[in-house]
Amino acid sequence: MKVWLALLALFALTGARDPILVPEVSQHEVDLQQGFTGTELLLFGAMLTPEGSRAAQDYDIVVVLKGPTQSVVLREKQKVAGMWINAASTELRSAPSYYAIASSRPIADIVDDKTAAIYELGLKWLQLSPIGAIDPDEQARFSTGLVDLNRRTGLYREQEGGVTVKEQVLYQARIELPSRVPTGIYTAETFAISKGRVVASASSQVEVRKQGAERAIAEFAENYGFAYGLLAVFVSVAMGWLAGRLFALI
């Protein structure tokens, strides 16, 4: 009898294998054209067993959409003699140009702080490393300032309860891209979490790109920076001269 019980226990332990995530995105390409006012992406998918059947236990789902990383120079403003001037500054090595996270429950109820930091699950846990030595308190102040600025412009987002899960198989989350969303390759990561442990993850990509006249101007500016600068100065001077002539005729 004891032998049978041991065999059943062993089968239960080996049979409870981690699920497989099958993610998908409603749009793999987002075109930024004139008049673009933003769009909404639907991130969805399924949780299955390795055999392809329905997952047998409850999982929390966290979805993260992250834009290309970039270095960012941050400067603080100080008011001196009634004027705002640049004061302290720092440069962050790899800040995401866009970051959005949606979860089936609050992150604090799903994982501990260590796991959240490892997988960067939340704005609080973004790894915004500075270039060079910096005081930890000053680094925290600059990082908080960057996060707050990007939250107000819609480039950083958090949606607790933004993921819906049906019958422990299908999940979906809606994430908005603002009108000023940066171009580049975006990574959509999905995490299945059980008892505070990430048991499965999968990712897909979204390309945000400019089209039409905006794309031609952007490519010209990137490939011929000096000529683009001269052209911009010429257009500004010409517009100023034209405006002056028009006002002189009134």
Side-chain angles (χ1 to χ4, degrees):
M1 185 65 178
K2 292 182 179 180
V3 174
W4 282 107
L5 289 175
L7 289 174
L8 288 174
L10 179 61
F11 175 79
L13 289 175
T14 56
R17 288 182 288 175
D18 295 336
I20 295 175
L21 286 171
V22 184
E24 190 51 83
V25 184
S26 58
Q27 294 177 251
H28 287 280
E29 296 177 350
V30 176
D31 294 332
L32 306 185
Q33 299 179 342
Q34 186 175 4
F36 178 77
T37 58
T39 189
E40 183 182 71
L41 292 180
L42 175 63
L43 281 64
F44 62 98
M47 294 178 292
L48 304 172
T49 65
E51 293 77 23
S53 60
R54 170 181 170 178
Q57 66 183 79
D58 292 342
Y59 296 97
D60 281 297
I61 295 294
V62 179
V63 175
V64 176
L65 180 64
K66 189 181 296 185
T69 57
Q70 58 189 6
S71 61
V72 178
V73 178
L74 300 174
R75 294 184 176 88
E76 279 188 328
K77 297 285 188 179
Q78 285 186 354
K79 197 171 186 179
V80 179
M83 299 178 60
W84 289 99
I85 63 172
N86 291 330
S89 65
T90 190
E91 184 175 2
L92 301 179
R93 180 179 293 107
S94 57
S97 56
Y98 177 90
Y99 178 94
I101 181 171
S103 54
S104 54
R105 290 190 297 151
I107 294 297
D109 296 339
I110 299 176
V111 294
D112 57 23
D113 291 352
K114 181 179 179 181
T115 303
I118 291 173
Y119 293 96
E120 294 186 285
L121 301 181
L123 295 175
K124 178 181 178 181
W125 305 109
L126 286 180
Q127 305 299 317
L128 303 175
S129 303
I131 295 178
I134 185 175
D135 179 76
D137 293 336
E138 187 175 357
Q139 176 186 348
R141 188 173 73 252
F142 275 109
S143 298
T144 301
L146 176 64
V147 169
D148 180 63
L149 175 63
N150 284 333
R151 288 190 75 157
R152 287 187 278 113
T153 57
L155 294 177
Y156 284 4
R157 300 168 178 267
E158 287 183 311
Q159 302 177 45
E160 293 184 345
V163 177
T164 57
V165 182
K166 294 183 179 180
E167 300 180 352
Q168 286 303 309
V169 178
L170 304 177
Y171 68 87
Q172 69 173 30
R174 297 182 182 275
I175 295 180
E176 293 184 7
L177 294 178
S179 58
R180 56 173 295 178
V181 63
T183 58
I185 303 299
Y186 286 56
T187 301
E189 295 182 286
T190 304
F191 302 92
I193 301 172
S194 177
K195 299 178 180 179
R197 185 174 68 92
V198 175
V199 296
S201 64
S203 64
S204 55
Q205 289 186 335
V206 177
E207 182 181 4
V208 178
R209 59 190 184 183
K210 292 184 177 181
Q211 290 288 8
E214 290 81 1
R215 180 176 181 177
I217 294 173
E219 290 180 349
F220 179 76
E222 182 177 352
N223 297 326
Y224 307 99
F226 182 73
Y228 176 80
L230 290 178
L231 181 61
V233 171
F234 173 77
V235 171
S236 298
V237 172
M239 292 298 292
W241 177 83
L242 180 60
R245 296 297 298 173
L246 291 175
F247 277 109
L249 296 175
I250 297 177

